[in-house]
Amino acid sequence: MNLPPGLSRSDFSSALGEFRVAVGKDWVLTDAEDLDGYCDEFGPYRGTPEERIPSAAVAPDTVEEVQKVVRVANSYRIPLWMISCGRNFGYGGGAPRLSGSVVLDLKRMNRIIELSEGNACALVEPGVSSFDLYREIRRRGLKLWMDGPSPAWASVVGSTLERGIGHSLLGDRWSNECGMEVVLANGDVVRTGMGGLPGTGTWQQYKWGFGPHIDGLFSQSNFGVVTKMGTWLMPEPENFLACFVDVPRSEDLIALIDILRPLRQSEVVRNAVNIRPVRRRPGDPPGESGGWRALLGFYGRNKSIDLLWEHVQGAYSAIPGVRFRSQHFSAPYDPETMDWQARWLSGIPSMSELSRWDHSSIFASQILPFSGEAAWNRIRVLDSVYREFGRRYQGGSINAHHPRALVALAGCPVSRDNPEANRNAVALMRRVLEVGAQHGWGPYREGTALMDEAMSACSFNDHALLRFLETLKDALDPNGILAAGKSGIWPQQLR
């Protein structure tokens, strides 16, 4: 049995007994076969001494049970690693940052507590997947749209807390968070925003509340266990245009982005635009022979969305060889008539990404200025870095979910049976983060294998940001039981 750091076998056995009292004996998992499901099956350390293996998993069903688990962990100083659905593949899956942690698995907390068509919002628990929410909207016949990640088994709460990106009008998921319930490390429960007012009718309608806005403290952090979260939806539009702008040459990326920037900032284009390499022939490397494609969505009445699309085509017509394509859909919508791109733009959850993305990868995604030259320069710089490691980089997916910045992805495949290649992949991604920091490209989010390196890049004023976060960690979680090492934030005893 793998033990939590610094805990004797007898004390751990006692703690497991108290966990069983808290959540029921069937929901405390210690068998190796059960715990294997909480390892990162797509990660670079799989099957090596560096693999992060949990000591147990505990699956509460209610916020009261979460409180009990947290209090037991505090009394024994057992590190907990919180997961929602545990499907964050490519970023660590359900595996803990610190080997020997007990996984606090929240997937049993899968209730959709509120779903309002009039206010276009929902209140959900962490175990609610995108599929779950979408199916409930459909079951009730509500005229609501959501943003659905692919793969759609991802948690609505988990994806939002990690600031995941979609492609619809709601693609900037963190911007659509509104109010949360959090269990703190001492077992206390706090509700943010308007949730601080008992009996409020605006918890999921008005996110700011009174006083300091603290929701961001629980995003990509280890300061609490989020047990409920509000998320904004959108009214179903009368019509929807799925539009595609294809440019033929790899260097056309510069104009593609520069023309898009004022369109996004003026809200002519409002969806979270995805730009990706186009492969014209099987086996073509990204960006070399196929150019780029931007996915745009327009939503509303026919006359208005047609005018917007006409305006966009006029703006892009200056690029030689540009091609346009659009697909028109009207309510009531039939997802079976949509291809995977239209489903993305309309926020329909799907598993389609699995057919195009090998989750056996490690990523280093970065924030760039909304500039074609910046994106193009990054490709050139990173290609030279990749060459140092015997690889090539011709560009990956770029997301314009924000009107003033871009998120650009870089990744490297992970092998199931080649530890040396995986060490090379980790070293490459560390170098990508290092070089990115030198160029001012900050980390967007990071998996468990690279969290320390990502935080280290935020080095202004002798790492003042990390020192501030460590101060908060020590105040809110003095025993360091919650998600040790998450985002590079370690408890005092492990620094």
Side-chain angles (χ1 to χ4, degrees), residues 108-162:
R108 291 178 67 210
M109 299 179 66
N110 58 1
R111 301 167 187 87
I112 299 171
I113 299 166
E114 292 184 18
L115 187 53
S116 170
E117 185 175 53
N119 288 310
C121 62
L123 178 65
V124 298
E125 291 183 329
V128 175
S129 71
S130 291
F131 262 148
D132 294 334
L133 182 56
Y134 176 75
R135 287 167 176 161
E136 184 62 13
I137 291 171
R138 299 271 291 185
R139 187 189 71 81
R140 297 191 193 184
L142 303 180
K143 293 184 178 181
L144 291 172
W145 278 16
M146 56 178 286
D147 188 82
S150 177
W153 54 26
S155 161
V156 174
V157 172
S159 179
T160 302
L161 292 179
E162 289 300 304

Side-chain angles (χ1 to χ4, degrees), residues 169-201:
L169 284 182
L170 303 170
D172 186 359
R173 296 192 188 115
W174 178 247
S175 293
N176 297 301
E177 176 272 338
C178 188
M180 56 178 67
E181 177 185 84
V182 185
V183 176
L184 302 178
N186 64 0
D188 202 4
V189 178
V190 62
R191 288 184 172 179
T192 69
M194 293 304 296
L197 176 68
T200 181

Side-chain angles (χ1 to χ4, degrees), residues 56-128:
V58 180
D61 183 53
T62 65
V63 64
E64 291 79 14
E65 290 184 359
V66 173
Q67 290 178 278
K68 293 175 183 177
V69 169
V70 166
R71 286 168 177 150
V72 171
N74 250 314
S75 65
Y76 289 91
R77 300 200 173 193
I78 293 175
L80 301 174
W81 183 261
M82 301 85 75
I83 64 171
S84 298
C85 291
R87 299 291 186 174
N88 197 19
F89 295 132
Y91 290 96
R97 179 78 173 81
L98 177 67
S99 198
S101 298
V102 171
V103 175
L104 181 57
D105 185 349
L106 303 174
K107 68 167 62 78
R108 291 178 67 210
M109 299 179 66
N110 58 1
R111 301 167 187 87
I112 299 171
I113 299 166
E114 292 184 18
L115 187 53
S116 170
E117 185 175 53
N119 288 310
C121 62
L123 178 65
V124 298
E125 291 183 329
V128 175

Side-chain angles (χ1 to χ4, degrees), residues 6 67 81 91 95 121 170 189 196 285 287 297 305 321 336 352 368 372 400 435 450 454-455 483:
Q67 290 178 278
W81 183 261
Y91 290 96
C121 62
L170 303 170
V189 178
I305 62 178
E336 297 302 318
S352 63
L368 310 180
V435 171
L450 296 169
M455 180 57 75

Side-chain angles (χ1 to χ4, degrees), residues 424-457:
N424 177 273
V426 173
L428 168 57
M429 290 298 99
R430 285 174 175 160
R431 181 64 178 151
V432 166
L433 287 172
E434 179 184 7
V435 171
Q438 294 168 1
H439 286 79
W441 309 327
Y444 146 65
R445 63 190 283 195
E446 201 45 80
T448 52
L450 296 169
M451 286 180 174
D452 288 344
E453 290 81 357
M455 180 57 75
S456 179

Side-chain angles (χ1 to χ4, degrees), residues 125-365:
E125 291 183 329
V128 175
S129 71
S130 291
F131 262 148
D132 294 334
L133 182 56
Y134 176 75
R135 287 167 176 161
E136 184 62 13
I137 291 171
R138 299 271 291 185
R139 187 189 71 81
R140 297 191 193 184
L142 303 180
K143 293 184 178 181
L144 291 172
W145 278 16
M146 56 178 286
D147 188 82
S150 177
W153 54 26
S155 161
V156 174
V157 172
S159 179
T160 302
L161 292 179
E162 289 300 304
R163 303 200 279 275
I165 299 170
H167 306 293
S168 70
L169 284 182
L170 303 170
D172 186 359
R173 296 192 188 115
W174 178 247
S175 293
N176 297 301
E177 176 272 338
C178 188
M180 56 178 67
E181 177 185 84
V182 185
V183 176
L184 302 178
N186 64 0
D188 202 4
V189 178
V190 62
R191 288 184 172 179
T192 69
M194 293 304 296
L197 176 68
T200 181
T202 54
W203 190 17
Q204 275 65 65
Q205 287 77 53
Y206 184 74
K207 66 169 61 187
W208 309 118
F210 177 76
H213 182 61
I214 64 173
D215 296 48
L217 291 177
F218 304 104
S219 171
Q220 293 189 8
S221 84
N222 52 9
F223 299 147
V225 183
V226 177
T227 51
K228 294 181 181 67
M229 190 194 75
T231 185
W232 287 341
L233 309 172
M234 63 177 278
E236 179 184 83
E238 293 180 19
N239 302 278
F240 158 55
L241 270 179
C243 302
F244 313 93
V245 179
D246 290 349
V247 294
R249 294 165 295 274
S250 56
E251 61 270 22
D252 288 334
L253 176 67
I254 298 173
L256 183 66
I257 289 174
D258 286 343
I259 292 171
L260 178 62
R261 182 178 61 244
L263 297 173
R264 284 287 285 119
Q265 292 177 358
S266 63
E267 297 192 346
V268 171
V269 176
R270 297 173 57 211
N271 75 295
V273 177
N274 176 258
I275 300 170
R276 57 180 49 214
V278 175
R279 297 170 178 82
R280 289 184 179 172
R281 298 184 301 272
D284 280 346
E288 283 199 345
S289 64
W292 299 84
R293 167 172 292 173
L295 306 182
L296 285 68
F298 299 94
Y299 314 82
R301 295 189 173 182
N302 277 330
K303 187 174 182 179
S304 62
I305 62 178
D306 288 344
L307 286 172
L308 291 171
W309 177 224
E310 182 180 340
H311 179 79
V312 169
Q313 291 178 83
Y316 275 114
S317 62
I319 301 177
V322 65
R323 293 182 299 167
F324 304 104
R325 183 167 65 90
S326 64
Q327 300 172 346
H328 181 273
F329 305 93
S330 296
Y333 296 93
D334 180 5
E336 297 302 318
T337 65
M338 300 180 182
D339 65 13
W340 65 270
Q341 297 170 110
R343 291 187 182 198
W344 268 20
L345 291 166
S346 58
I348 297 174
S350 76
M351 302 297 288
S352 63
E353 189 76 353
L354 288 177
S355 65
R356 288 179 301 280
W357 171 34
D358 181 2
H359 284 64
S360 299
S361 301
I362 183 171
F363 296 104
S365 305

